[in-house]
Amino acid sequence: MSSILMLRLMQYKRDISIVLLMTALTIGFIFIFAGPNNGVYKYKILVATDEKTPSYVRFMNELYKNKSYEFIEADYDTVKAEVEEGKIIAGIYFKNDEISILKTKEDINIFILENLASNTLFSIQSMSDMAETIVNYIDNIKDVDNNAVETIAYNEILESVTEKKHMTVSKEYLNSVNTLEYDGTKHLTIGIILFMSMFTIVFGIGSILEDKEYHTWDKMLISPLSRKQILGGNLISTFIVGAGQILLLIVLTKQLMGMDWGDGEDIKLVVLIGLLFVMTTTSLGLMLSGAVKTQRQLSTITPIILTSTSMLGGAMWPLDIVQSKLLLFLANFTPQKWAIEGMEKIIIYGGELNDIISSIIVLMIMTVVFFTIGIVTLKHAD
Amino acid sequence: MVLLDIKGISKSFKELKAVDDLSFTIDEGEIFGLLGPNGAGKSTTISMIASLLPPDDGDIIYKNESIMTKPNKLQKELGLVPQDIALYPTLSGYDNLKFWGHVYGIRGKELKNRIEEITELIGLSDRIKDRVDKYSGGMKRRLNIGAALIHKPRLLIMDEPTVGIDPQSRNHILNTVKMLNKEGMTIIYTSHYMEEVEELCDRICILDKGKVLASGTKLELIKLINGRERIDVQFELLNSKFMEEIKKLFYIGEITVLDNRVSIISENAENLLGDLIQIIKNSNTRILSIDVQKPSLETVFLHLTGRALRD
Ligand SMILES: Nc1ncnc2c1ncn2[C@@H]1O[C@H](COP(=O)(O)OP(=O)(O)O)[C@@H](O)[C@H]1O
Ligand SMILES: [Mg+2]
């Protein structure tokens, strides 16, 4: 078995440029798709009010600046209906300078929306209060058009807040916006890392097809190597390279992009899920290799299968925006979904081992199932 | 001492009988030639000896034990040079040898020494660190042989080891085979080039369509054609008048025509040459060459099958 391990590692050493290129490409994709201000998806949020007061208008103007949500005005009944039907993740009802969030479930995006809305409301109210104080002060001096002055004062304060950023209110407000965009980044970073590493892993285990093409298979069979050793060596070398790539990407995204993978305990759990995911994908690769005859066929079907399951499993966009019950059901059969969910529970929701048990169990079951199917079909092809 | 005893093995692929009731024995220390045109069943026979393919019928005995029940005994002592080059193209020649050595349990300094020995033997010392896919066909063939020698096999089976290579590599390979044999290695050499088999082999088995046509030493085989000689005439354009005339000669054996080349086997070559020139003159045709062939395995094959060995 050590012979096969040595063989594969020698081959990887020769192809080191390809492995490095894949890693660089992954980092590039994360920069492009998950970098700041590049959220590729936007949640639609409906906002309703009974009366378009000046503070409502200001509130809406602030919300429109946000890049992660698309805010649209609607009447209350529409908002309520769409939330209940699950067409949108949440709605906002603005009444008497207060807001309530319409929702049917709790999730990270709704949580962030709530924060965003209340921070926005708080900051415009603080600014309005200041503007009002100024107006009152001026009013005592001279009789002027109160409304006009208040609007001008508000706008000027707003300008100074956004440009000079020296007021505490504005700081809080800006921070919350940062947090919001960062979660899109985290999601996509995880998704892209898992998606790209799947290629390395599936093509890695696919090298068991290579020996038939290189005519080395027969020579292996008459050598002291057993079939079990050949398979074992291939599985282990694939695992090592796949795991190495995921670990490298975790380190690189942390160092180069400041990706927050949490503290030491969090990282351990993230790595645990990462390693399980490598095992599941290795077995998936074994199953795909059993289904085809040559490496060429494998490289034809692999991108199709990996891309479609990654889309389905939420590696490209969050599953929260998926409406179709069927697609959400199918997502459960992709390892990507469980790995992403597990990692997010830890680094976004601050979860612990208990919270990711379901991900761990599902990934283990998938590993066993894919592995068994792979072994059976490979034997059949012999 | 008989090392390997092939007892009436057969193998069919659906309707096609690739090997048909084949028997021969191989003595320890000899070079045994398996000669036959493409599709004769040579590779299939070798696969059965290596336990890669189970025979439909018959038995193969290695050192008094059937390999059907104990394939390991032969496999451990077997070096196989497959017809298709079996190398990892992205690895260096050195790493290819290292891998196969490792597979056979050779490690460390011993492996290093062994790789050096082999590299020298196959004459690849200056290129051994290069990637195999940068090698010429001849270099790949030589490395393919080296990979089969790394564990010092007792029996070496070479399946058409010289196909499609330059004369220099070919000579190198033939010399290597002779040297290995001198050191005591038993070799089964498979080829459709009769010159190679003639040059190398102690005993030869001529195969055609899965059956043994003839077997024995080179001398025994040539006796089959009974001192008859062969003359090859290459025409610019062969005409029917020539063919009519030549067939009238009473002492002619087989006549084989391939394109514009006519091979004539006769017991009376001296008379034939004179008569032949006369007929050529009369039939108004131009010739490019006339060769009087020494008795060879090619002639034997022609005599036995009426077909040329290479077509
Ligand atoms: N796996 C196979 N399936 C079907 N036919 C085969 C297979 N292997 C060989 N044959 C056929 O058996 C015959 C003998 O082939 P082979 O042993 O390769 O001949 P040789 O090595 O003498 O050229 C050929 O007609 C070939 O087409
Ligand atoms: Mg052959």
Side-chain angles (χ1 to χ4, degrees), chain B residues 11-14 16-19 36-47 53 83 159-160 190-192 207 210:
Chain B
K11 183 78 198 174
S12 297
F13 298 107
K14 295 193 183 120
L16 178 85
K17 232 175 168 148
V19 173
N38 279 327
K42 305 183 294 293
S43 297
T44 307
T45 304
I46 284 171
S47 291
L53 206 61
Q83 179 172 358
D159 195 355
E160 312 229 18
T190 289
S191 180
H192 68 270
L207 273 188

Side-chain angles (χ1 to χ4, degrees), chain A residues 2-4 6-8 10-11 13-15 210-211 213-225, chain B residues 50 52 75 80 82 84-92 95 98-100 102-104 129 131 147-148:
Chain A
S2 60
S3 308
I4 301 288
M6 188 186 81
L7 168 73
R8 294 302 175 217
M10 286 194 303
Q11 286 178 316
K13 211 172 98 195
R14 285 274 160 177
D15 293 335
E210 190 179 272
D211 280 304
E213 286 160 52
Y214 292 162
H215 304 111
T216 40
W217 179 245
D218 279 353
K219 288 199 68 180
M220 281 186 181
L221 288 184
I222 64 171
S223 79
L225 288 173
Chain B
L52 288 168
Q75 285 185 344
L80 178 64
D84 299 306
I85 288 168
L87 299 169
Y88 295 99
T90 60
L91 294 185
S92 66
D95 285 349
K98 189 171 154 192
F99 169 65
W100 290 113
H102 206 270
V103 163
Y104 281 90
K129 299 271 178 178
R131 281 166 69 113

Side-chain angles (χ1 to χ4, degrees), chain B residues 31 145 156 158 161 172-182 185 187 189 200:
Chain B
I31 307 182
I145 294 170
L156 180 69
M158 308 176 89
H172 193 112
I173 289 173
L174 297 186
N175 288 335
T176 308
V177 173
K178 282 181 207 162
M179 213 162 86
L180 290 169
N181 178 248
K182 227 175 243 163
M185 200 176 282
I187 296 166
Y189 191 96
L200 288 176

